[in-house]
Amino acid sequence: MNPQSQPGTEKPEHNSRLAPTELARMLRLLVDELIPGGEGWPSASDVGVHGLLSLRLFADGTPDLALKLAKALDWWKGGLDSDDAGARVRAVEGFEAADPDLFDRIYTAAVLAYYETPFVVEAIRQTGRPYAILPHVAGYPMAPFDAERDAPKHGRGRYIKTEEVRPVDVSGLDLDIARTERWGIER
């Protein structure tokens, strides 16, 4: 008798929802493969990207998205959970090949979440770069315009000083009486 057919010995089907702890672990491992951190930069899971990612991915209740992700990652084969760095890379590469659209969606969301955390903002600032989570509020410090420094030097076109700009004469166009009657290519 086949041991697989005996009651209680069947391999469990992986078509049900993942346990919340398993999903959290899978996302944590995934974001750390995508953004591992190092040399003054925190890893993605250290700054909570997996939590932010879960809010962006699963908050709308998209049915079976977690299962779809687990299947694309081949989660139950253990590659992403391996101590072998090559196995983890192969798991993520396999995910990208299996579902490029979902991979792109998750990768983009992970990167955006990473760079908007206060920890990463501070890591960027520590490199000497000005960086703000909300740059549109105060802007970035900029030197005042300097005609010598900021004039185009590429040799295309020409530079006109503001005080030398003159209006274009449109009087010959009869704009006060001319009307467009047909729009498009065949007018």
Side-chain angles (χ1 to χ4, degrees):
M1 180 179 223
N2 182 347
Q4 291 293 329
S5 64
Q6 294 178 7
T9 61
E10 296 88 16
K11 187 175 180 182
E13 288 291 322
H14 292 291
N15 61 0
S16 60
R17 294 192 181 276
L18 293 167
T21 54
E22 189 175 13
L23 177 57
R25 180 168 169 65
M26 182 176 64
L27 285 177
R28 190 174 63 250
L29 292 169
L30 176 58
V31 299
D32 278 349
E33 273 312 301
L34 297 174
I35 308 171
E39 296 184 30
W41 295 87
S43 72
S45 69
D46 283 344
V47 300
V49 168
H50 56 297
L52 295 169
L53 186 62
S54 71
L55 288 171
R56 290 181 177 161
L57 291 176
F58 305 115
D60 65 355
T62 302
D64 301 322
L65 184 59
L67 181 61
K68 184 177 180 181
L69 174 59
K71 285 180 180 179
L73 281 164
D74 244 346
W75 173 245
W76 294 282
K77 288 189 178 178
L80 189 60
D81 198 13
S82 175
D83 289 334
D84 176 24
R88 294 190 308 270
V89 169
R90 284 188 297 279
V92 175
E93 287 173 341
F95 166 34
E96 183 178 17
D99 196 333
D101 292 335
L102 182 58
F103 177 85
D104 185 57
R105 183 175 164 201
I106 288 175
Y107 180 73
T108 300
V111 169
L112 291 172
Y114 183 76
Y115 283 102
E116 65 187 16
T117 64
F119 312 107
V120 175
V121 168
E122 186 55 33
I124 293 169
R125 288 179 182 154
Q126 287 181 5
T127 67
R129 296 179 186 99
Y131 190 78
I133 293 176
L134 302 171
H136 59 282
V137 174
Y140 286 108
M142 294 180 67
F145 180 79
D146 178 333
E148 185 64 32
R149 180 192 67 222
D150 299 325
K153 294 176 179 49
H154 48 64
R156 297 183 310 268
R158 58 192 173 100
Y159 172 76
I160 299 175
K161 294 180 181 178
T162 302
E163 54 275 357
E164 294 174 4
V165 173
R166 300 289 175 254
V168 175
D169 180 16
V170 294
S171 60
L173 298 178
D174 297 323
L175 294 177
D176 55 333
I177 58 171
R179 300 275 185 248
T180 302
E181 297 193 15
R182 287 182 48 199
W183 291 98
I185 296 174
E186 298 178 20
R187 19 181 204 147

